[in-house]
């Protein structure tokens, strides 16, 4: 029988595991703290655990993060790790240090099946879901590696925020994501507040509702277009869950969200979605999409497109991004422009490519489907009937 990787288990499951070993459930809390608060990988170091438990764990369990293939440090201090997930696949994790926080950008899949045109992961296709141990392992490795390197005093965190914005669509790997989120939030684990853990999604509507009920962390939604015709071409998942349904799920999410707004991410693509008229269309779109037909409380985060060779797309000029932001701001929406980090090591948004053995022939499918640029002004522009 192969050893159980304890990084796979949230505290509840670890308690079940201890029970199966004939131990009291509360032992799991001690064990959990050793793993996720002290970064221990060696059962012999866990001095307050009974010798009998330690020997059972030594026989049938392990604490093992993925193997690091490469580590790169950018000129701005951003760090990118490439982890081996076996079978010729590798995923990337990025640490972004700032004055008052440290954000870890975590991957959820080897590749991604959504296939967004402007995303380097999307161009690689999909290989497989990561396990909970592989998701948590990225945080475990980064946190304790950084603590050692930075010489942080015991208990001081290196990672203060987690964003599920690495490779993959987290809400298409929900079964593995949920225990990983619980471990991040657990006071005996990483103790991150729900406001400091963000799930970013391209819009898997039913799973947004599940997340709201199971573990409502901060939500970011990758919007990228003000109407269905354009979004269908940029984010293919939109054909399954069009904007009206997506915004409905956002509105429902707010009932339990840790923040009283949804963050919309919007990747600025030259000549495609960056016209001020499209910003006006966005204003109209959110104006009536909130609870009770009121405005949807939201913020916009504009991301200058980070180019990669296969995309055939260009980044919007800074003046164009600024003008777009102004339309949103003048319409009353808090709008920020994301500063690109780690560009010199390809660690910026959408540049994470790792190594993926594609099983979906994505490049062939993309070549057959050109992007249709659709601009229509007015509040009803997002209605599918008009754009079909
Ligand atoms: N699958 C999830 C999370 C990963 S992508 C999602 O799509 O939300 C994280 C963010 O980076 C998303 O908003 C995504 O649209 C954006 N992104 C992808 N490719 C990009 C690129 N080339 N330049 C800038 N942002 C990009
Ligand atoms: Fe997948 Fe997100 Fe990239 Fe789209 S942007 S292909 S959903 S990782």
């Amino acid at each position: 029988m192969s050893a159980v990787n304890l990084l796979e288990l949230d505290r509840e499951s670890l308690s079940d595991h201890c029970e199966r070993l004939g131990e009291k459930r509360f032992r799991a809390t001690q064990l959990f703290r050793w793993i996720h608060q002290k970064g221990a990988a060696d059962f012999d170091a866990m001095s307050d655990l009974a010798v009998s438990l330690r020997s059972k764990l030594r026989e049938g369990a392990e604490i093992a993060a993925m193997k690091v293939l490469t580590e790169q440090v950018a000129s701005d201090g951003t760090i990118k790790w490439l982890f081996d997930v076996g079978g010729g696949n590798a995923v990337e994790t990025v640490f972004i240090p700032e004055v008052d926080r440290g954000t870890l950008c975590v991957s959820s899949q080897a590749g991604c099946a959504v296939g967004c045109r402007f995303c380097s992961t999307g161009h690689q296709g999909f290989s497989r879901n990561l396990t909970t141990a592989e998701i948590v392992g990225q945080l475990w490795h980064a946190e304790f590696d950084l603590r050692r390197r930075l010489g942080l005093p015991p208990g001081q965190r290196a990672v203060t925020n987690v964003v599920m914005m690495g490779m993959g669509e987290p809400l298409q790997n929900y079964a593995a994501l949920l225990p990983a989120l619980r471990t991040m939030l657990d006071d005996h684990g990483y103790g991150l507040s729900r406001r400091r853990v963000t799930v970013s999604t391209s819009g898997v509507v039913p799973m947004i509702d599940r997340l709201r009920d199971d573990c409502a962390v901060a939500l970011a939604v990758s919007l990228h277009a003000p109407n269905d015709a354009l979004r269908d071409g940029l984010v293919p998942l939109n054909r399954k869950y069009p904007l009206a349904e997506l915004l409905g799920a956002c509105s429902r999410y707010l009932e339990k969200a840790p923040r009283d707004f949804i963050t919309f991410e919007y990747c600025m693509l030259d000549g495609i979605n960056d016209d001020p008229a499209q910003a006006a269309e966005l204003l109209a779109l959110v104006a009536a999409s909130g609870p009770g037909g009121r405005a949807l409380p939201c913020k916009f985060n504009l991301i200058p497109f980070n180019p990669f060779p296969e995309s055939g797309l260009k980044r919007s000029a800074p003046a164009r991004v600024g003008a777009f932001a102004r339309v949103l701001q003048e319409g009353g929406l808090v709008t920020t422009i994301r500063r690109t980090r780690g560009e010199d090591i390809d660690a910026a948004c959408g540049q994470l490519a790792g190594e993926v053995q594609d099983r979906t022939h994505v490049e062939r499918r993309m070549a057959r489907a050109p992007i249709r640029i659709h601009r229509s002004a007015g509040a009803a522009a997002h209605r599918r009937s008009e754009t079909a």
Side-chain angles (χ1 to χ4, degrees):
M1 208 180 68
S2 63
V4 181
N5 188 352
L6 299 186
L7 295 178
E8 185 68 22
L9 308 177
D10 60 16
R11 195 153 54 89
E12 188 63 24
S13 303
L14 192 62
S15 304
D16 296 342
H17 186 70
C18 284
E19 213 167 36
R20 278 194 298 274
L21 294 176
E23 299 284 336
K24 293 269 187 291
R25 290 179 71 81
F26 75 87
R27 294 279 174 217
T29 300
Q30 282 172 296
L31 181 53
F32 201 73
R33 292 170 71 106
W34 274 108
I35 301 169
H36 300 291
Q37 293 193 339
K38 298 196 178 116
D42 177 4
F43 298 117
D44 288 326
M46 302 180 180
S47 46
D48 60 354
L49 289 188
V51 176
S52 60
L53 173 57
R54 277 191 263 163
S55 84
K56 284 180 211 166
L57 291 170
R58 243 193 336 265
E59 276 162 32
E62 62 176 358
I63 299 159
M66 299 171 285
K67 187 171 154 238
V68 177
L69 292 173
T70 60
E71 182 192 288
Q72 289 170 278
V73 182
S75 51
D76 64 5
T78 299
I79 305 175
K80 181 171 88 170
W81 291 276
L82 181 68
F83 288 101
D84 184 6
V85 297
N89 295 305
V91 299
E92 294 181 326
T93 309
V94 179
F95 178 69
I96 305 146
E98 281 170 282
V99 179
D100 55 345
R101 63 180 145 181
T103 303
L104 194 70
C105 180
V106 170
S107 293
S108 55
Q109 299 179 311
C112 182
V114 177
C116 301
R117 301 296 290 241
F118 48 84
C119 173
S120 156
T121 308
H123 274 255
Q124 288 184 309
F126 176 70
S127 179
R128 72 164 172 86
N129 281 329
L130 298 190
T131 63
T132 300
E134 289 166 340
I135 298 172
V136 170
Q138 295 169 63
L139 173 57
W140 185 81
H141 176 84
E143 175 66 39
F144 298 106
D145 185 45
L146 289 166
R147 277 195 206 182
R148 274 188 296 273
R149 286 156 64 149
L150 304 174
L152 298 181
Q156 187 174 326
R157 286 182 197 148
V159 176
T160 62
N161 295 59
V162 170
V163 292
M164 297 300 305
M165 294 186 186
M167 295 166 68
E169 169 48 58
L171 294 186
Q172 286 190 337
N173 184 15
Y174 192 75
L177 175 73
L178 187 59
L181 293 177
R182 290 191 166 135
T183 298
M184 293 173 194
L185 302 185
D186 197 312
D187 283 340
H188 298 285
Y190 298 86
L192 297 173
S193 80
R194 293 194 296 137
R195 305 160 67 92
R196 287 174 176 268
V197 176
T198 301
V199 167
S200 175
T201 181
S202 55
V204 191
V205 165
M207 291 303 158
I208 294 177
D209 286 323
R210 288 275 298 277
L211 187 68
R212 176 192 70 157
D213 294 335
D214 293 338
C215 190
V217 294
L219 185 68
V221 171
S222 297
L223 205 57
H224 309 309
N227 58 60
D228 283 316
L230 180 56
R231 197 165 189 271
D232 281 351
L234 292 174
V235 184
L237 193 64
N238 194 70
R239 296 187 207 123
K240 192 160 182 197
Y241 304 115
L243 281 168
E245 286 181 36
L246 177 56
L247 296 178
C250 291
S251 176
R252 292 191 292 280
Y253 197 86
L254 284 169
E255 292 161 18
K256 297 199 183 158
R259 297 177 186 267
D260 55 8
F261 59 88
I262 301 288
T263 302
F264 287 125
E265 295 162 280
Y266 195 99
C267 178
M268 299 293 294
L269 302 162
D270 181 45
I272 304 265
N273 67 353
D274 63 347
D275 193 299
Q278 290 166 314
E281 217 182 319
L282 281 175
L283 287 174
L285 178 67
V286 299
S289 302
R294 294 187 301 276
L296 181 72
C298 61
K299 290 189 181 174
F300 269 81
N301 191 215
L302 306 180
I303 315 173
F305 170 62
N306 292 308
F308 55 97
E310 306 79 37
S311 74
L313 298 164
K314 290 203 294 284
R315 173 185 287 194
S316 305
R320 190 105 169 138
V321 179
F324 197 91
R326 267 192 307 283
V327 174
L328 295 177
Q329 285 158 349
E330 280 160 15
L333 295 181
V334 174
T335 303
T336 50
I337 299 169
R338 190 176 292 174
R339 197 158 56 94
T340 293
R341 297 290 305 263
E343 220 173 355
D344 50 338
I345 56 166
D346 283 349
C349 299
Q351 289 188 317
L352 302 189
E355 198 61 56
V356 173
Q357 303 303 312
D358 178 32
R359 297 194 282 116
T360 57
H361 308 295
V362 71
E363 285 290 355
R364 242 188 291 158
R365 280 186 288 123
M366 277 193 197
R368 282 202 301 263
I371 302 171
R372 281 194 303 146
I373 304 174
H374 179 100
R375 295 196 189 110
S376 58
H382 63 289
R383 283 215 310 268
R384 219 179 163 67
S385 54
E386 283 192 21
T387 55

